[in-house]
Amino acid sequence: MTARIGVVTFPGSLDDRDTQRAIRLAGAEPVALWHKDKDLHQVDAVVLPGGFSYGDYLRAGAISRFSPVMESVIEQAKAGLPVLGICNGFQVLTEAHLLPGAMLGNDHLHFICRDQKLRVENAGTAWTGDYRQGQEIHIPLKNMDGRYVADEHTLDELEAEGRVVFRYVGFNPNGSLRDIAGITNEAGNVVGLMPHPEHAVEPLIGTGRTDGLPFFTSILKKLVGA
């Protein structure tokens, strides 16, 4: 069985091709999905890539949330389809209420681009099975609206249920509450994070490490039962 993982392209997506390459390197088949097409073409999982969908002119991810493809993504995610949102994709997932909370502008009001250390807090999701609990990894980060916020009740709930998947280590680059870099839904099939694992899959680019590749090998093993 060859796992087919869809990558949605919105107007303003920047990292869809990089994500497709990461999927291919992991051994799965990337499938390009267009934002105006409701048909997910029988993919086994979906990635919402980074970028500036619709220019982020209203609010990051707010317009993409209403793209025709998202109607299908929301429906199937609630039925168990694995979905990964990276950076702008994370913003789309919060706007679509597939993940709680919201993304605001960085607390220093500047775009940031750097290699970022993260700690794996939950290695039990569909997208993190190839990591170890507590493992520290380096993943490129680039965002303007990367500050994760939620009310105290939601934050406490995420912590108590083990739904914080990644946390910033050593330096909080955007003011995210409780150093949260990524979260999951209750079922563990939907994950969103701000850093870009697709830029850390080959030793010659990004961080010079392959710390991002396990995102894509994890979902491949989950889908094919390896």
Side-chain angles (χ1 to χ4, degrees):
M1 170 186 173
T2 300
R4 303 174 73 249
I5 302 177
V7 180
V8 178
T9 297
F10 300 101
S13 292
L14 299 178
D15 301 299
D16 46 347
R17 296 294 181 89
D18 304 73
T19 303
Q20 290 176 29
R21 178 173 177 78
I23 290 167
R24 192 176 294 110
L25 286 171
E29 177 188 349
V31 178
L33 300 176
W34 184 236
H35 70 110
K36 287 188 175 181
D37 187 0
K38 288 185 179 181
D39 187 355
L40 297 184
H41 301 282
Q42 298 180 313
V43 296
D44 303 299
V46 168
V47 180
L48 306 181
F52 300 90
S53 60
Y54 290 93
D56 287 342
Y57 289 129
L58 175 60
R59 190 172 62 247
I63 302 177
S64 291
R65 176 260 179 273
F66 294 101
S67 291
V69 72
M70 286 303 299
E71 182 179 327
S72 300
V73 170
I74 292 168
E75 178 184 357
Q76 295 199 34
K78 290 179 177 178
L81 180 76
V83 178
L84 176 65
I86 301 170
C87 195
N88 192 235
F90 185 12
Q91 295 160 345
V92 174
L93 290 176
T94 61
E95 293 289 342
H97 305 298
L98 286 174
L99 292 175
M103 309 303 301
L104 300 181
N106 298 341
D107 59 351
H108 45 72
L109 303 181
H110 294 287
F111 181 86
I112 189 167
C113 182
R114 55 169 282 148
D115 292 341
Q116 177 67 46
K117 182 186 287 188
L118 307 176
R119 184 170 59 248
V120 180
E121 302 282 19
N122 183 342
T125 77
W127 297 92
T128 57
D130 271 357
Y131 291 110
R132 301 185 313 275
Q133 198 86 7
Q135 181 179 352
E136 292 188 355
I137 61 176
H138 292 79
I139 303 289
L141 175 77
K142 51 178 186 175
N143 64 69
M144 180 67 188
D145 299 294
R147 178 161 52 113
Y148 179 75
V149 298
D151 61 80
E152 286 298 312
H153 173 74
T154 299
L155 292 170
D156 289 343
E157 192 174 65
L158 289 171
E159 300 275 15
E161 295 177 0
R163 291 168 55 196
V164 176
V165 182
F166 295 97
R167 217 180 293 269
Y168 297 116
V169 176
F171 173 73
N172 185 325
N174 44 41
S176 291
L177 298 181
R178 304 194 188 183
D179 298 329
I180 291 174
I183 61 173
T184 185
N185 64 343
E186 292 181 17
N189 64 303
V190 178
V191 170
L193 79 160
M194 286 310 296
H196 287 259
E198 77 280 9
H199 294 326
V201 295
E202 296 179 283
L204 292 178
I205 61 172
T207 59
R209 302 160 63 134
T210 58
D211 291 1
L213 192 59
F215 275 89
F216 307 100
T217 57
S218 293
I219 190 61
L220 178 59
K221 290 179 180 179
K222 176 77 172 178
L223 293 172
V224 303

